[in-house]
Amino acid sequence: MKRSSLLALGLTAMAVAACGGLKDALTAHVDVVARAGSQELSVTRLSDLLGNSKLGMPINKDVATVVARDLWVPYQLLAVAAARGDSLNDVKAIDAAASGMVENAKLGRFMESVAAKLPVDSSASEASYNAASGGLYSARHILFLVPQGATPAVRDSIRKKAQSVLAQVTPANFAEMAKKYSQDNTAARGGDLGVFPRGMMVKPFGDAVAALKPGQISPLVETQFGYHIVQRSTWDQAKAQYAQQAAGRARQVAESTYLAQAEAQANAKLKGDAAATMKAVAKDPLGHRKDNTVLATYTGGDLTAGRVAAVLLSTPRSGQLAQQIQQAPDSLVNHYVSNLAQREVLLRRADSAKTGLTPEETANMHRDFAQVVALSWQQIGLDPKTLADSAKSPADREHLAAARVEAFLDKVMAGQAQPAPVPAPLQMVLLDKYDAKVNPAGIDRAVERAAKLRASADSARMAGRPKSAVPLPGAMNPGAPAGAAPQATPPSPPKP
């Protein structure tokens, strides 16, 4: 999306202040919020959409930007394409727009191949289980729940019951006693908690398990949940799950080691303003996709704002991630930037290994993109054939398509239709092919006017309500200050 420099615009305006005609031309642009193709979104139109909306959404710059930049602009560009019979099937454009998603698939495939080749010591023996050399344990328990806020007397009563059951429990009958007495969802399986790392459990419980030898039963263990009787499982009881968990844990260690080596090779060095730039990109990734600002350097290259934008746009639930980045502390954002630099190094390794999509997968991607275009047209009411049948000249078709977009937006803002999300790759193809621009100053003016419209509508609605029969404060106590509680009517004097 092309953006003008507000600073340059301001300097130019100062330099030609004496030229009234040019000054008027410059200030007139503030009445336009956005342009898409030959269409303009005026301040009045956007403020009406926001101020008269039935959705109950807040009126602020963020909401106004979403309506203008993420709905109106792509909808109107889709309208231009539909009116011109443009199927948007340029393979190079689609590949460029979908590059982030292709990279994600490439990385996933590459890491799978790496994991399959990593040397992994997945040996699981009785000796390693008994010594907990892999940090894994297996246990059963019988839980006696203590309700939150229980009195000391209630707690003591539950403890005494647990102590009496403990006196009856043996390694041979532990599972049956758990089925009979345990008060959690492990009771049906004899209290079995499976295989777990020590730190997964609350500390008193984890410490108790670690202190036991296989087969042993603990004294009573108190945690925030209540009282536990704990038995560490024997090798025969745990070996099937333990072998599986040990292999998975060993593979995780091997993969972590590989990633740590990639991180060291990346040798990422962040710029001082990396976090601020990252948050700016997260706020408008589409607007920054061609931004060459460098956030970090790494061995063999630079991590630019455009590369970061491509990653964000290709991430599942990208909107949620972008919001988290904007709200995160700078230290966490910087860590994320370092991870992105590491990602670039891994992508280079994947390219060297010739990892990528097959021709069939690429063809499927192009087919899916065509289906997305058709679905987007259908949702907004922009079928190219219908437009061609309804209007003969290209100009008339574009005018009709633009009108249908406005009608669809009216329904969305009135709560009569769901917004049609335009996927990021399709937006990128549209923005690369057709002209579009959003004017921040216009958005500010639209927000200001929409707030006044909303306030006026709220006042009119309040004025139209019937007056309450409940007297206002002070009405029963003339002369009382505003906000004073009304005094009760004094009782009648007793009859003689």
Side-chain angles (χ1 to χ4, degrees):
M1 186 178 296
K2 298 178 181 177
R3 294 178 177 271
S4 62
S5 167
L6 295 182
L7 177 59
L9 184 62
L11 291 174
T12 304
M14 291 172 62
V16 297
C19 181
L22 182 55
K23 181 177 180 181
D24 292 342
L26 288 172
T27 56
H29 289 298
V30 183
D31 293 327
V32 177
V33 174
R35 289 189 177 88
S38 61
Q39 299 301 312
E40 290 186 349
L41 175 64
S42 68
V43 166
T44 301
R45 171 62 173 157
L46 179 58
S47 60
D48 285 345
L49 285 171
L50 296 170
N52 299 324
S53 173
K54 306 300 182 185
L55 300 178
M57 62 178 65
I59 295 178
N60 56 44
K61 188 167 185 175
D62 288 341
V63 171
T65 301
V66 167
V67 174
R69 183 190 68 199
D70 300 335
L71 297 181
W72 188 87
V73 167
Y75 289 176
Q76 286 293 358
L77 294 183
L78 278 168
V80 173
R84 298 182 184 181
D86 181 359
S87 60
L88 302 170
N89 62 354
D90 184 329
V91 170
K92 289 184 178 180
I94 296 171
D95 289 347
S99 61
M101 291 185 293
V102 172
E103 288 173 355
N104 287 344
K106 183 192 301 184
L107 270 178
R109 191 162 296 175
F110 174 67
M111 290 307 298
E112 286 177 4
S113 68
V114 167
K117 298 173 184 175
L118 287 174
V120 175
D121 180 11
S122 57
S123 59
S125 66
E126 183 173 3
S128 64
Y129 171 74
N130 292 344
S133 57
L136 295 174
Y137 296 86
S138 181
R140 298 173 181 270
H141 80 148
I142 304 171
L143 171 63
F144 298 86
L145 281 171
V146 175
Q148 286 187 352
T151 63
V154 168
R155 180 176 289 275
D156 187 57
S157 174
I158 295 171
R159 183 187 60 77
K160 288 179 179 178
K161 180 181 178 181
Q163 197 71 50
S164 69
V165 172
L166 175 61
Q168 305 171 52
V169 172
T170 67
N173 71 7
F174 195 98
E176 289 303 316
M177 295 293 278
K179 290 178 181 178
K180 183 175 180 179
Y181 291 106
S182 193
Q183 296 175 317
D184 72 345
N185 58 9
T186 68
R189 55 180 185 270
D192 188 9
L193 292 164
V195 176
F196 51 86
R198 176 176 176 176
M200 181 178 173
M201 300 297 180
V202 292
K203 190 174 186 308
F205 191 97
D207 290 349
V209 174
L212 297 173
K213 294 180 180 179
Q216 278 188 332
I217 296 172
S218 71
L220 216 56
V221 178
E222 183 178 1
T223 72
Q224 68 242 46
F225 304 107
Y227 295 97
H228 308 253
I229 302 171
V230 182
Q231 180 194 30
R232 186 175 170 197
S233 304
T234 64
W235 168 246
D236 287 339
Q237 293 169 330
K239 62 182 177 182
Q241 286 190 49
Y242 179 79
Q244 183 179 8
Q245 292 270 13
R249 197 168 175 83
R251 188 164 298 282
Q252 287 177 0
V253 171
E255 290 176 3
S256 297
T257 301
Y258 179 86
L259 291 175
Q261 292 172 347
E263 182 178 3
Q265 181 186 352
N267 191 26
K269 298 186 184 303
L270 275 60
K271 299 295 184 181
D273 57 352
T277 305
M278 181 74 237
K279 290 182 178 183
V281 173
K283 190 170 185 178
D284 181 15
L286 277 169
H288 286 274
R289 62 201 172 87
K290 295 184 179 180
D291 186 346
N292 291 322
T293 303
V294 176
L295 285 79
T297 60
Y298 60 90
T299 303
D302 295 331
L303 178 67
T304 66
R307 288 292 299 148
V308 169
V311 175
L312 283 179
L313 289 168
S314 63
T315 302
R317 297 183 295 277
S318 60
Q320 181 179 352
L321 174 60
Q323 187 175 19
Q324 291 172 347
I325 289 172
Q326 292 175 67
Q327 297 172 352
D330 286 357
S331 57
L332 193 58
V333 175
N334 283 333
H335 181 68
Y336 180 65
V337 173
S338 296
N339 286 342
L340 292 181
Q342 177 185 340
R343 178 182 185 272
E344 297 296 299
V345 172
L346 291 173
L347 275 171
R348 293 191 175 197
R349 291 186 180 184
D351 289 336
S352 298
K354 301 191 182 307
T355 306
L357 300 186
T358 65
E360 181 182 2
E361 288 170 331
T362 301
N364 288 338
M365 181 182 71
H366 296 159
R367 182 201 62 207
D368 292 343
F369 185 88
Q371 291 176 348
V372 168
V373 174
L375 178 61
S376 298
W377 277 339
Q378 179 185 353
Q379 289 176 311
I380 303 172
L382 295 172
D383 177 53
K385 185 178 184 306
T386 304
L387 291 172
D389 292 342
S390 302
K392 299 306 178 185
S393 73
D396 287 345
R397 286 195 291 272
E398 290 194 25
H399 180 76
L400 177 59
R404 290 187 178 179
V405 167
E406 298 297 344
F408 179 73
L409 266 179
D410 283 336
K411 289 182 180 180
V412 170
M413 300 303 285
Q416 298 170 359
Q418 291 293 322
V422 182
L426 177 51
Q427 289 197 48
M428 284 187 265
V429 170
L430 288 166
L431 290 168
D432 284 341
K433 190 159 192 178
Y434 299 109
D435 289 333
K437 179 182 178 182
V438 174
N439 180 11
I443 286 180
D444 290 338
R445 287 195 61 189
V447 169
E448 182 181 355
R449 184 175 183 273
K452 292 178 181 177
L453 286 175
R454 176 76 61 84
S456 177
D458 290 345
S459 297
R461 190 163 47 250
M462 292 297 294
R465 289 183 179 179
K467 293 184 178 180
S468 172
V470 179
L472 296 174
M476 297 180 67
N477 182 22
Q487 295 181 357
T489 304
S492 302
K495 294 181 180 179

